[in-house]
Amino acid sequence: MKFTKLIAGLAVAVGLSACASSGPISETATRNTPDVAPVVAAELTARSADWRLADVRVNVSGDLKVSEANRYYPIADIVWREDPYGDRRAQVAKILDDGLTSGLTHLKGDRPVFFDIELSRFHSLSEKTRVSIGGVHNIIYTLTVVDAATGVALHGPIEMEIALKAFGGDQAFEAERRGQTQKVRIQTHLASLMRQAFNGGQEMRVVAQAAVAPLDVNSGATQ
């Protein structure tokens, strides 16, 4: 299946492939073109004004490899440790569901739609990386907007790759003291991206500014 790469069409942080790094990490870097300003598509803004969120439906394939290895960079599709040991696929599905839903509840149009999510990667930090160097929360999924009544795809599928700075060491400890756990930061970041990408015709002036100005990575949404 051919996917449209979401780099210039939506306000989204397209990301770094590695989830562990000892150097500085940009939350708005793109794979091939660093320092490109995110863009919000006016056409998508107009279309989403007619939508009303019916549900976010997240699918996490049983074929995705899960790792519990306590290494700096476990080789796997899913690496997640903040929840107690258990069904990691279900845990990351809920993180995506809650975060994306939070960012789409502003859609109040007449047409109910599903946001169908197919996860291909959710690579967070191992315990070893979390207590030391930190890195990147790297999440890749495809998104399709589907008419809830007819099942017709209205938008997508679009491949979305998100890279959010993952704190390590003292920085991670201080963030947790403020209530900014890994889960909270990831869900807040996902919600922020959805609100910007699918703004339902609201705040057109902000959309116009987003087309020429980079995201504020120091805002509360990504701290």
Side-chain angles (χ1 to χ4, degrees):
M1 183 177 292
K2 183 178 180 181
F3 299 117
T4 302
K5 193 68 176 180
L6 192 65
I7 294 178
L10 303 174
V12 61
V14 183
L16 308 176
S17 296
C19 287
S21 172
S22 58
I25 298 165
S26 169
E27 292 180 347
T28 57
T30 64
R31 178 177 294 168
N32 297 316
T33 53
D35 302 323
V36 172
V39 176
V40 175
E43 179 184 353
L44 182 56
T45 292
R47 271 199 281 169
S48 63
D50 186 44
W51 299 343
R52 171 168 49 86
L53 180 67
D55 196 13
V56 172
R57 305 187 296 189
V58 180
N59 183 56
V60 180
S61 171
D63 293 334
L64 296 182
K65 181 181 178 182
V66 178
S67 176
E68 299 291 339
N70 191 16
R71 302 170 181 166
Y72 281 118
Y73 187 76
I75 304 301
D77 303 305
I78 298 176
V79 176
W80 175 247
R81 306 296 167 76
E82 193 166 78
D83 285 316
Y85 178 77
D87 186 342
R88 300 300 190 193
R89 294 180 180 86
Q91 290 169 0
V92 299
K94 180 170 173 52
I95 292 170
L96 285 169
D97 193 343
D98 290 349
L100 297 174
T101 298
S102 176
L104 294 167
T105 53
H106 65 284
L107 296 178
K108 303 294 185 181
D110 295 328
R111 172 179 283 184
V113 297
F114 296 126
F115 276 72
D116 285 348
I117 307 298
E118 181 74 30
L119 182 70
S120 57
R121 180 176 176 83
F122 191 110
H123 207 294
S124 187
L125 303 185
S126 67
E127 299 89 341
K128 189 173 186 178
T129 310
R130 176 74 169 164
V131 301
S132 56
I133 61 176
V136 174
H137 301 298
N138 182 224
I139 304 169
I140 304 175
Y141 58 91
T142 59
L143 179 154
T144 307
V145 182
V146 177
D147 187 302
T150 65
V152 173
L154 303 175
H155 186 67
I158 296 173
E159 183 182 72
M160 303 184 74
E161 179 174 356
I162 295 170
L164 173 66
K165 182 177 180 181
F167 298 145
D170 290 342
Q171 191 177 24
F173 176 73
E174 290 300 323
E176 287 190 7
R177 288 185 61 183
R178 299 193 305 269
Q180 294 295 303
T181 64
Q182 295 178 88
K183 185 183 297 185
V184 166
R185 294 188 66 245
I186 291 170
Q187 289 179 331
T188 301
H189 192 62
L190 289 170
S192 177
L193 294 176
M194 290 299 98
R195 281 192 295 270
Q196 292 178 70
F198 302 93
N199 80 338
Q202 302 172 14
E203 302 177 2
M204 293 300 292
R205 187 160 40 182
V206 174
V207 172
Q209 292 173 353
V212 296
L215 293 173
D216 180 5
V217 298
N218 295 315
S219 70
T222 56
Q223 290 299 312

